[in-house]
């Protein structure tokens, strides 16, 4: 643990500044991130999930769509016997679902859609939202007014309602069918969510703008872009990281809920297809059978929880790494 | 100044609402299918009935006129003038025939107070859930931050992670199995909502996500504040730790939490869909979700507008509170 | 870790930890769970009115109140006899009202409010004679004019009920229904015609009645556009239930949503109705038949997992049994005794757009039928809650042919049949896309079927899940009808006419949507529909079905079953294949509760 006690860290940080040449914000942050063990664990876990889900055909023990007749509702190997007296089969480590497909393989394949649904829209939202929030907050005046009024409109839309409306309307179009509906889902998620980020960033900027160190930078003739990138952006990172660490699972769950309502991703029946299942989809199927086959629900749920935990660790690590006062 | 600010923001709501109404109207009419395409297993409504229904609901009129009829008003099929949304009439529901949208959402059963209406139920549950989320989330976040990297901190992290990664429909059944089936503290299926105990599980299920988010936000915001110069200064001045934490830290650390309060409440008010189907809770959440798949046009418009008003009001009050909490932010 | 109890133990542990965290804070919730007593008994509520909670009635002196607690599922959109169409809606109406005729537990049409009925010689006029001294539950008289009002209201274009077409057999009904009410003259003229054709008379058979209070007004005659020997059955369904005109007027457009206006003549009275929470029905002392023995309480919990847990906790007496819970129930010696599984009058079939390749070729349809492993489906997907079928009319409905064995599962024959088609082989087939309304359950179904056809026929099927409402709208018209869908049909009334003429005759909405038209079948059905001799009529329908299966416009797939869990203390349940809400709903007045078995 690099940060055992708050006061101690503070001291050592000051010593470091005296002891070595000033490095750029990013290299410095990366260096500090490397020393944060939990964040590294999180990173490794995310990488692990990415690798196994993208290399699914090599790793999954069974084809994810294959129905094994008479093998339905098998419990996981470590449970040995299910409540209803069905014996586990060592070939199916996490058991089988209600029609006899291997749960483990389906979860491995499901990681693809879920990891992407979590990561891509959040990245896009962060970029759009942060840019608009920074401009709005820093520039002020009519720019701020215009952008904030625009966010008012988007913000006032009920988000779930908007996802559903957009998905239903565009689902059968060419765009809606691309990548098994992934692009449309990304679009729907991004259109609604950038506003939250923009407002968050703007309010941070407003608070920071008045602080002494910005005035100081301005007085020594620093350019606007330099002030924004070097001084304001790092200060807005901490709430953004928390937001991102929370939004990724939210996106994964929104996908699950949409699947539950009947407008989730399109599934494919070809074993070579890329998006075959998603964790959200597996969870909504599993919920109905919680009493007799809890493993169908719990396996994808645990994966989602692990991914979320990893992102939280990474998020915490990043926040500490970018905190200018910890340098 | 504040009054003028509020008045200006309130006026701005009008173009926002119109814009939202237009977008919703266009999108929902672009969506394939109509209000009478119900269950595929059922026989389709026959052509004559379909025509009668469309006439009764004015769907035989051109689209622009349907829109103005909804927003402003029009003559109904009997030739009488009926006000639209501007007169507080959100239109007849296509699905629950014989009821208007405002009746469905806001009207209590005969002889009951407003709190017994669907909206009233949702408000009660939403406020309870928000209260729970705050009263658990804020202290846990604060404690986790103060005890950073101790087991308490890890526990809070673990639980908040569960909170965001488990969907409502899963959390609900877990809590039911624990409290109702195993511990037998409450009935599984509430028979009446007059018994306060049956509110526990639904409000917890609803609150959990917000609670977790609040705790995380509070923790990170506290950690941020703890590193500020003025906190160090306060400590250096020899102020008591309690005083430092409550006066200097909490007040500043609460700002981001206040920002999410309004939208969170609005979200909790309409986000009870899963709870409603699990516990037979008579709230308004299902109308938000089902109106679209039912193609219940006036219900879609009505719920969208109501939500928009809620959000605008919530944001406005957040801005006002924000200004009070943080004097550095001047309300223009 | 062996079983779910252990799994849930872990989950519980995590949750308890979270609760501990809660407990650290000064006040967890205004309604802290920990204060509750560790019993299942609900605390007596502060309400002055005694809520009927059987387990909360500790007194031994009074007889225990008998309440049958049923989870009905989702709250109905409408409970108006002339505007309802859903099973759940009808499940409410059936308790409150009774039609002119009704169905016994063998689904035979038997006297209801009418003690008898007769047709004229060519079955173009139907005369009902009502029972003497009929009363509504509030004691007011019920006469033939009430039924006339209901039938007229069902036809009225201003009502626009979804089952209004079903009374089109009445002379002039279709014309009135299609008239434009804004054109007052045309509307009134069309109405006057129907008004003359549905007439209420005094017992002398000639004097037209003029008052709802006239107890002598017991004759109702209905003139029909063509011979319709099954019209007495049609008028027994919910569309002709005698809701009171003055209540509908006074209650306004949503009169149906309040127990005040729902005054009926059925075995039960709707005592309280709390929308989306529960409804309470009590026996109607004025019912002409055997009086009901228990109160009925409907709850509206949609989530089947919760409903199942509530049943296990003795909070419901009857709940639906989902296939997901079947294994748990079957392996439990006590629960398996409480299972009630019996046929349901619903047939599911793979249906095709007969204008699109490749299913316009009968050989391809037959090959698909023979490649469909129905038994495996019944076992894997339906978990035993359903059986494969090779025919259209389900068991329990007259005209069912249980001996049908054409196009049964035989992968080799299927491949041979495919070779007979114009495509010659699997490689020659165009792309096949199956379209369905997206839901977790439908996904599992279709993923299974895609696997089945790949395995047994070597055909790759592309799945196309779409929004359920979009799906329904696509199935309306041939131009948008997808290539391949799964669709079911359930009885409106137990008569082969409802299965064959209503569905497969080329003039029906459905046959039009898949572009099915067989003039020979049409002629046979038209003949059967007007045949007066029951045996000859049944024979014609059987021949028609035979013809249908030979041509196989759809791959007959499976019949669903009704599956419920019923507590051992519930007695007197008489099931029918048309039950939808709870077992025994067609004879709910016979159901009783054996209080000696109550826990």
């Amino acid at each position: 643990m690099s940060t055992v006690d708050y006061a101690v860290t503070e001291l050592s940080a000051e010593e470091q500044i005296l002891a070595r040449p000033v490095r750029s914000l990013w290299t410095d942050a990366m260096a500090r991130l490397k020393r944060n063990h939990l964040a590294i664990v999180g990173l490794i876990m995310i990488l692990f999930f990415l690798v196994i889900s993208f290399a699914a055909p090599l790793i999954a023990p069974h084809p994810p769509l294959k129905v094994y007749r008479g093998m339905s509702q098998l419990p996981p190997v470590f449970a040995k016997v299910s409540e209803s007296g069905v014996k586990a089969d060592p070939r199916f480590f996490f058991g089988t679902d209600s029609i006899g497909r291997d749960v483990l393989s389906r979860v491995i394949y499901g990681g693809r859609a879920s990891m992407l649904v979590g990561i891509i829209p959040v990245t896009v939202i962060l970029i759009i939202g942060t840019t608009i929030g920074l401009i709005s907050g820093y520039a002020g005046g009519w720019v701020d007014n215009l952008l904030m009024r625009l966010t008012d409109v988007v913000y006032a839309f009920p988000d779930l309602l908007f996802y559903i409306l957009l998905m239903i309307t565009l689902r059968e179009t060419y765009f809606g069918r691309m990548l098994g509906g992934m692009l449309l889902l990304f679009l729907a998620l991004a259109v609604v969510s950038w506003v939250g980020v923009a407002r968050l960033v703007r309010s941070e900027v407003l608070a920071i703008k008045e602080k002494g160190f910005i005035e100081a930078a301005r007085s020594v003739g620093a350019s606007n872009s330099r002030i924004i990138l070097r001084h304001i952006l790092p200060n807005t990172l901490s709430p953004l990281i928390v937001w991102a660490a929370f939004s990724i699972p939210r996106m994964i769950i929104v996908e699950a809920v949409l699947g539950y309502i009947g407008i989730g991703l399109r599934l494919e029946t070809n074993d070579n297809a890329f998006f075959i299942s998603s964790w959200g989809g597996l969870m909504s199927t599993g919920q109905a059978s919680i009493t007799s086959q809890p493993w169908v629900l719990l396996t994808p749920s645990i994966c989602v929880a692990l991914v979320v935990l990893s992102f939280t660790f990474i998020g915490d690590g990043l926040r500490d790494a970018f905190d200018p006062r910890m340098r | 100044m504040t009054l003028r600010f509020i008045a200006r923001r309130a006026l701005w709501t009008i173009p926002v609402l119109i814009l939202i109404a237009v977008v919703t109207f266009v999108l929902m009419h672009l969506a394939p299918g109509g209000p009478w395409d119900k269950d595929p297993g059922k026989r389709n409504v026959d052509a004559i009935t379909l025509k009668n229904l469309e006439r009764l609901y004015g769907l035989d009129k051109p689209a622009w006129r349907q829109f103005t009829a909804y927003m402003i008003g029009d003559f109904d099929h009997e030739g009488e003038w009926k006000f639209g949304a501007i007169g507080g009439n959100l239109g007849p529901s296509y699905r629950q025939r014989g009821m208007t949208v405002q009746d469905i959402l806001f009207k209590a059963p005969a002889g009951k107070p407003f709190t017994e209406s669907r909206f009233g139920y949702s408000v009660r549950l939403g406020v309870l859930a928000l209260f729970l989320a705050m009263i658990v989330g804020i202290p846990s976040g604060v404690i986790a931050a103060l005890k950073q990297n101790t087991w308490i901190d890890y526990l809070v992290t673990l639980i908040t992670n569960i909170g965001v990664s488990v969907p409502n429909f899963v959390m609900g059944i877990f809590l039911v199995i624990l409290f109702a089936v195993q511990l037998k503290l409450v009935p599984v299926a509430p028979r009446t909502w007059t018994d306060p105990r049956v509110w526990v599980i639904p409000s917890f299920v609803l609150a959990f996500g917000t609670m977790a988010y609040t705790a995380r936000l509070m923790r990170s915001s506290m950690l941020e504040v703890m590193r500020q110069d003025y906190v160090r200064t306060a400590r250096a001045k020899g102020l008591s730790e309690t005083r430092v934490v409550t006066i200097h830290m909490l007040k500043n650390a609460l700002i981001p939490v206040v920002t999410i309060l309004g939208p969170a409440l609005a979200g909790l008010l309409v986000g009870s869909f899963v709870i409603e189907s699990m516990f037979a809770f008579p709230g308004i959440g299902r109308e938000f979700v089902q109106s679209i798949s039912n193609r219940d046009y006036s219900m879609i418009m009505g719920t969208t507008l109501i939500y928009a008003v809620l959000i605008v009001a919530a944001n406005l009050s957040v801005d006002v509170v924000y200004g009070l909490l943080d004097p550095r932010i001047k309300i223009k | 870790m062996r079983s779910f109890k252990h799994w849930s133990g872990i989950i519980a542990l995590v949750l308890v930890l979270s609760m501990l965290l809660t407990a650290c804070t000064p006040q967890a919730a205004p309604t802290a769970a920990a204060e509750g007593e560790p019993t299942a008994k609900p605390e007596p509520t502060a309400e002055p009115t005694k809520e009927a909670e059987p387990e909360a009635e500790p007194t031994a002196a009074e007889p225990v109140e008998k309440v049958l607690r049923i989870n009905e599922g989702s709250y109905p959109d409408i409970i108006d006899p002339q505007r309802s169409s859903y099973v759940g809606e009808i499940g409410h109406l059936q308790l409150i009202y009774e039609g002119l005729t009704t169905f016994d537990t063998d689904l035979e049409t038997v006297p209801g409010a009418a003690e008898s009925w007769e047709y004229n010689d060519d079955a173009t006029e139907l005369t009902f004679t009502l029972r003497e001294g009929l009363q509504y539950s509030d004691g007011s008289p019920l006469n033939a004019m009430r039924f006339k009002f209901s039938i007229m209201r069902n036809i009225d274009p201003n009502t626009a009920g979804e089952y209004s077409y079903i009374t089109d057999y009445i002379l002039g009904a279709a014309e009135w229904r299609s008239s434009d009410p804004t054109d007052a003259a045309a509307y009134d003229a069309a109405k006057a015609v129907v008004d003359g054709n549905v007439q209420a008379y005094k017992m002398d058979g000639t004097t037209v009645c003029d008052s709802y209070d006239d107890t002598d007004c017991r004759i109702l005659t209905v003139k029909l556009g063509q011979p319709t020997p099954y019209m007495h059955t049609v008028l027994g369904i919910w569309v002709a239930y005698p809701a009171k005109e003055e209540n509908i007027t006074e209650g306004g457009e949503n009169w149906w949503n309040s127990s005040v206006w729902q005054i009926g003549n059925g075995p039960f009275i709707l005592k309280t109705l709390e929308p989306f929470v529960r409804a309470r029905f009590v026996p109607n002392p004025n019912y002409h038949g055997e009086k009901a023995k228990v109160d009925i309480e409907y709850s509206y919990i949609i989530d089947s997992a919760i409903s199942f847990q509530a049943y296990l906790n003795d909070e419901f007496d009857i709940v639906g049994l989902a296939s997901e819970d079947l294994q748990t129930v079957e392996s439990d010696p006590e629960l398996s005794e409480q299972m009630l599984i019996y046929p349901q009058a619903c047939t599911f079939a793979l249906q095709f757009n007969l204008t699109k390749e490749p299913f316009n070729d009968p050989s391809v349809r037959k090959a698909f039928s023979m490649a469909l492993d129905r038994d495996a489906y019944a076992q894997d997907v339906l978990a035993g809650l359903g059986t494969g079928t090779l025919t259209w009319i389900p068991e329990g409905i007259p005209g069912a042919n249980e001996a049908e064995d054409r196009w049964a599962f035989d992968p080799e024959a299927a491949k041979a049949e495919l070779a007979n088609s114009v495509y010659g082989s699997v490689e020659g087939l165009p792309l096949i896309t199956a379209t369905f309304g997206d839901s977790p359950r439908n996904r599992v179904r279709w993923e299974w079927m895609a696997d089945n056809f790949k395995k047994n026929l070597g055909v790759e099927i592309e799945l196309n899940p779409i929004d359920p409402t979009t799906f329904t709208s696509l199935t309306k018209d041939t131009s948008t009808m997808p290539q391949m869908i799964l669709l079911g049909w359930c009885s409106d009334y137990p008569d082969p006419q409802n299965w064959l003429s209503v569905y497969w005759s080329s003039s029906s909405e459905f046959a039009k949507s898949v572009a099915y038209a067989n003039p020979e079948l049409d002629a046979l059905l038209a003949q059967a529909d007007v045949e007066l001799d029951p045996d000859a009529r049944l024979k014609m329908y059987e021949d028609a079905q035979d013809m249908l299966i030979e041509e196989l416009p759809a791959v007959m797939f499976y019949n669903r079953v009704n599956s419920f869990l019923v507590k051992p203390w519930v007695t007197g349940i008489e099931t029918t294949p048309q039950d939808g809400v709870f077992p025994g709903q067609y004879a709910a007045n016979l159901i009783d509760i054996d209080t000696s078995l109550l826990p």
Side-chain angles (χ1 to χ4, degrees), chain C residues 114-189:
Chain C
E115 62 184 13
S116 66
W117 60 88
E118 61 183 323
Y119 289 94
N120 64 350
D121 290 340
D122 61 352
T124 54
E125 190 176 316
L126 171 60
T127 306
F128 291 99
T129 306
L130 268 61
R131 291 174 197 270
E132 207 177 340
L134 282 178
Q135 283 184 338
Y136 278 102
S137 60
D138 63 357
S140 58
L142 165 63
N143 65 16
M145 271 187 72
R146 295 286 186 185
F147 284 99
K148 174 177 176 170
F149 167 76
S150 297
I151 295 169
M152 296 282 284
R153 182 167 183 261
N154 190 52
I155 304 169
D156 192 336
N158 283 324
T159 309
E162 289 175 26
Y163 263 73
S164 55
Y165 69 88
I166 209 152
T167 45
D168 278 358
Y169 306 108
I170 295 170
L171 190 60
E175 289 73 21
W176 183 23
R177 218 156 60 77
S178 30
S179 71
D180 185 350
T182 50
D183 180 357
Y187 171 85
D188 289 340

Side-chain angles (χ1 to χ4, degrees), chain C residues 42-58:
Chain C
E43 270 172 340
T45 49
E47 278 189 330
T49 53
K50 245 189 192 170
E51 290 293 332
E53 306 279 359
E55 64 270 39
E57 295 282 342

Side-chain angles (χ1 to χ4, degrees), chain C residues 259-467:
Chain C
S259 55
V260 179
W261 309 118
Q262 291 273 20
I263 303 295
N265 61 331
F268 290 86
I269 302 173
L270 178 63
K271 189 174 161 229
T272 53
L273 181 66
E274 285 177 62
F276 301 96
V277 183
R278 60 178 178 161
R280 180 65 172 258
F281 301 88
V282 298
N284 175 5
N286 293 331
Y287 181 58
H288 69 78
E290 189 173 339
K291 307 279 185 286
K293 298 166 184 66
V294 295
D295 287 10
I296 288 182
E297 189 177 278
Y298 279 167
S299 290
Y300 304 105
I301 289 176
I302 299 163
D303 193 289
S304 63
I306 297 273
S307 158
F308 181 61
Q309 292 297 340
Y311 177 84
L312 297 182
N313 219 18
D314 284 342
E315 292 173 36
F316 287 127
D317 301 312
I318 299 178
V319 294
L321 171 60
S323 60
E324 288 87 355
D325 296 322
L326 190 68
Q327 220 185 42
T328 311
V329 170
E330 276 178 337
S331 62
D332 184 304
E334 209 176 308
L335 277 179
S336 58
E337 291 290 304
Q338 300 171 11
M339 225 166 33
L340 188 56
I341 295 179
Y342 56 99
Q344 186 182 33
C346 291
T347 301
F348 283 77
L350 289 180
Q351 317 233 20
F352 310 105
N353 186 333
L354 302 174
T355 64
K356 287 188 184 165
E357 289 201 325
F359 295 110
N360 51 357
D361 184 340
S363 292
V364 177
R365 302 196 295 265
K366 287 167 189 170
F368 268 70
S369 180
M370 290 188 285
L372 184 56
D373 191 350
R374 295 169 178 81
D375 290 342
Y377 184 86
Q379 187 200 333
D380 288 352
V381 180
L382 301 174
L385 295 182
T387 49
T389 185
L390 296 166
T391 180
W392 177 240
I393 300 179
E395 193 187 328
I397 303 289
N401 176 14
E402 280 152 52
E404 183 61 70
D405 59 357
R406 281 172 291 175
W407 323 122
F409 178 59
D410 183 350
E412 290 315 310
K415 282 175 194 139
E417 186 70 36
L418 199 60
N420 277 339
S421 72
V422 296
Y423 304 97
S425 69
V426 171
E427 288 71 36
L429 286 176
L431 178 71
I432 295 173
T433 306
T435 306
F436 59 94
D438 196 354
S439 72
R441 231 170 247 194
N442 273 346
R443 284 192 172 216
V444 170
R445 285 180 185 154
W446 277 102
E447 284 166 356
W448 185 94
M449 275 188 267
D451 181 74
N452 172 78
F453 287 118
K454 196 195 286 182
K455 193 186 293 173
N456 295 326
L457 201 57
V459 177
E460 194 83 50
I461 294 178
E462 188 186 87
L463 299 190
N464 180 29
I466 60 176
D467 159 62

Side-chain angles (χ1 to χ4, degrees), chain A residues 1 3 6 10 14 38 144 149 152-153 155-158 160-162 164-166 168-169 199 203 211 238 242-243 246 249 253 261 283-284 287 290 297-298 304-305 308-309 312 316 319-320 323 325-326, chain B residues 9 12 16 19-20 23-24 27-28 30-32 149 154 157 161 164-167 169-170 173-174 212-213 216 219-220 223-224 226-228 232 263 278 288-289 292 295 304 307-308 311 315 322 328 332:
Chain A
M1 247 4 305
T3 53
Y6 162 77
E10 202 85 339
E14 273 161 28
L38 272 184
D144 182 31
R149 295 297 78 84
D152 278 347
V153 177
Y155 214 59
F157 251 110
L160 190 60
L161 204 87
F162 188 73
I164 301 173
L165 211 48
L166 204 63
I168 285 180
T169 310
R199 293 177 81 102
S203 63
K211 285 188 180 159
S238 120
V242 176
W243 182 89
F246 264 81
I253 285 163
I261 300 170
M283 278 200 263
S284 53
Q287 193 261 351
I290 172 132
L297 170 65
L298 287 179
V304 175
V308 175
L309 197 65
T312 310
D316 282 356
R319 192 203 48 228
D320 290 349
D323 192 329
R325 276 172 304 277
M326 290 193 53
Chain B
R9 285 288 295 273
W12 168 244
V16 168
L19 207 60
I20 286 174
V23 173
T24 311
L27 277 179
M28 79 186 182
L30 281 179
N149 297 325
Y154 296 141
T157 306
N161 273 295
V164 284
S165 55
V166 177
F169 55 86
V170 176
I173 188 83
F174 282 172
Y213 188 59
R216 301 277 313 141
R219 174 180 179 273
S220 112
L223 288 177
E224 183 83 27
M226 278 157 67
R227 294 170 189 150
Q228 299 285 354
R232 250 188 283 176
M278 290 191 131
F288 274 74
V289 175
I292 301 176
R295 306 291 190 277
T304 312
Y307 183 86
I311 278 285
N315 278 333
Y322 212 77
R328 285 166 306 171
K332 279 176 278 185

